[in-house]
Amino acid sequence: MINQDKQHFQEIGHLGFGLMRLPKAAGSDSEIDLEQTKAMVDHFMAAGLNYFDTAYVYGDGRSEEAARKALVERYPRESFKLATKLCAWMGCDDEASAKQEFYTSLERTGAGYFDFYLLHSIKEDNLDKYDDYGIWDFVKEQKEKGLIKRWGFSFHDKPGLLDKLLTDHPDVDFVQLQLNYADWDDLKILSRANYEVARAHNVSIVVMEPVKGGLLADPPAPVAKILKEADPAASPASWAVRFAASLDGVITVLSGMSTLEQMDDNLSYMRAFKPLSYEEQRVIAQAQQAIADIDSISCTACHYCMPGCPINMPIPDIFTAMNKEILYHKTEDAKVAYAFATDKAGTRASDCIACGQCEDACPQNIHVISRLRDSAAALE
């Protein structure tokens, strides 16, 4: 496939560095390992790549601060592209606090301006916040001031809403969509349908979750077998990232890398990116069918379900453990992972009070309550 939109974004590399899952400092669940992050940034920049993606809410601000220390303070401002996001529906009490996120992000990053700026994770149930707080006009005003170069939004909902948003806001410069081969025809996530809506509006796309929160870096055994037989030297993650990057209209593909090893693996095939061939596309189709036959939990560990949980249940960690059982049949490993997560949090899946806030917040539209019941039955 020929990516026609790259002619408009030639200064952007095919691979973007997602700063959501940065390496953690030894002995900490929250503090970022700044030295390893600097090394990852250095490898990324040395490969000729330059797009970095963070957000106001990532790591309670630690991600934006790490972007300042590892990137902004160490490289000329014109040598990289920095994207961040305003989240009007999480932790905001009113219009003023929502708009303040923009200025706080400028302060945290020290970037002076943002090359790409997004309204964060728009869904039907949070759209009113962006509308009522006047955020659409606010970001346009910042663009007119030169504080934003390009603006758009990240999206986690149905194609009908995406079509309405792009119709109502035809001046968006790009949209950020979850696109990966596992979700392509998934009836809950509708990746293909959302992609086709964006292209129908001639809007360029930044891809998020190409490896589906890491699941496609270590895919189910039937999928791994298909990919290995097709190319023994290629990592499973390379198939997923190249699939997304091969789509027409894609500006860049974000990979939320947590280690230098993940970084170097991605650079090995994205430094000089080659789109998937026809034969490789057929391999992906086989992998898609293999995944469709497995009823796994499509959690990407975004943690959007967590802030409002009244009992602080570690839902993403529980689902990660449950998927070890569903996808890999590693029952003991699953139980150990489950026990570690729930003991640390002091709450188990069976403690769920079924309030439903997690289901409202989940961008993957997971039936969280019923999946928690399943997890309790299998792993407790």
Side-chain angles (χ1 to χ4, degrees):
M1 301 180 188
I2 298 174
N3 191 341
Q4 298 173 354
D5 283 41
K6 289 303 288 185
Q7 63 182 320
H8 303 298
F9 296 94
Q10 289 183 359
E11 76 277 18
I12 308 296
H14 285 91
L15 179 69
F17 188 175
L19 305 179
M20 179 179 176
R21 298 181 174 94
L22 291 173
K24 295 296 188 292
S28 174
D29 292 328
S30 58
E31 295 300 322
I32 291 171
D33 184 335
L34 187 59
E35 293 309 309
Q36 186 174 176
T37 299
K38 287 179 179 179
M40 294 170 71
V41 167
D42 291 345
H43 281 225
F44 191 76
M45 292 288 284
L49 300 169
N50 60 0
Y51 190 99
F52 297 83
D53 172 90
T54 184
Y56 175 86
V57 298
Y58 288 174
D60 293 328
R62 294 183 182 87
S63 176
E64 289 186 328
E65 292 170 355
R68 183 186 78 249
K69 296 174 182 177
L71 176 67
V72 176
E73 294 178 352
R74 300 173 64 243
Y75 286 91
R77 181 62 184 87
E78 67 278 6
S79 67
F80 60 86
K81 308 297 179 184
L82 184 61
T84 194
K85 311 175 190 73
L86 184 157
C87 186
W89 54 272
M90 184 185 294
C92 293
D93 299 321
D94 50 30
E95 179 178 336
S97 60
K99 292 179 177 178
Q100 179 59 40
E101 289 187 9
F102 173 78
Y103 302 109
T104 300
S105 292
L106 278 176
E107 181 180 0
R108 284 176 181 164
T109 63
Y113 62 89
F114 296 115
D115 303 277
F116 289 74
Y117 197 75
L118 301 90
L119 281 60
H120 197 168
S121 191
I122 290 185
K123 298 178 64 181
E124 184 71 49
D125 58 11
N126 64 38
L127 177 60
D128 61 320
K129 298 293 186 182
Y130 294 100
D131 291 341
D132 294 347
Y133 294 164
I135 302 302
W136 301 93
D137 289 335
F138 175 73
V139 295
K140 294 175 189 178
E141 292 168 4
Q142 306 316 309
K143 182 177 181 180
E144 291 174 359
K145 295 176 183 177
L147 297 177
I148 294 171
K149 302 302 181 183
R150 296 175 173 122
W151 74 278
F153 58 90
S154 60
F155 183 79
H156 287 286
D157 214 309
K158 302 297 188 291
L161 179 59
L162 180 59
D163 181 62
K164 180 181 185 301
L165 290 174
L166 294 179
T167 300
D168 292 346
H169 304 283
D171 51 340
V172 298
D173 296 305
F174 69 103
V175 63
Q176 188 160 304
L177 300 177
Q178 176 174 319
L179 302 178
N180 59 67
Y181 70 78
D183 295 331
W184 195 237
D185 290 310
D186 187 290
L187 295 178
K188 298 188 295 295
I189 301 173
L190 298 168
S191 283
R192 182 205 294 267
N194 281 327
Y195 168 78
E196 290 174 348
V197 167
R199 296 313 294 147
H201 283 268
N202 199 33
V203 173
S204 299
I205 299 164
V206 171
V207 174
M208 57 183 164
E209 300 292 356
V211 193
K212 197 172 171 63
L215 291 179
L216 298 182
D218 186 15
V223 176
K225 182 174 184 291
I226 291 168
L227 302 181
K228 191 72 171 178
E229 289 177 350
D231 186 349
S235 68
S238 72
W239 287 93
V241 174
R242 289 181 61 224
F243 168 82
S246 297
L247 295 168
D248 186 47
V250 167
I251 303 168
T252 195
V253 177
L254 301 177
S255 180
M257 295 166 276
S258 302
T259 68
L260 197 56
E261 290 74 21
Q262 291 174 357
M263 170 68 73
D264 288 341
D265 176 60
N266 280 347
L267 295 181
S268 70
Y269 56 86
M270 291 300 288
R271 180 184 284 106
F273 167 69
K274 292 182 180 179
L276 293 178
S277 67
Y278 173 74
E279 289 301 322
E280 288 173 321
Q281 292 282 0
R282 292 182 63 186
V283 172
I284 289 292
Q286 294 175 41
Q288 289 170 321
Q289 185 56 55
I291 287 176
D293 294 336
I294 305 172
D295 184 28
S296 62
I297 305 174
S298 57
C299 177
T300 64
C302 67
H303 287 78
Y304 293 167
C305 59
M306 292 291 294
C309 179
I311 59 175
N312 195 36
M313 185 175 296
I315 297 171
D317 294 333
I318 289 173
F319 287 165
T320 296
M322 187 60 180
N323 273 334
K324 291 178 183 289
E325 169 67 15
I326 296 171
L327 292 168
Y328 309 107
H329 304 294
K330 295 183 178 180
T331 303
E332 291 308 313
D333 287 350
K335 288 185 175 181
V336 168
Y338 176 84
F340 178 80
T342 55
D343 288 350
K344 183 176 181 180
T347 183
R348 304 188 302 169
S350 58
D351 296 327
C352 175
I353 62 173
C355 67
Q357 74 81 29
C358 52
E359 295 190 351
D360 292 337
C362 179
Q364 310 304 322
N365 300 307
I366 297 169
H367 297 298
V368 178
I369 296 170
S370 64
R371 287 296 202 171
L372 286 173
R373 293 194 189 105
D374 294 342
S375 300
L379 303 178
E380 288 183 9

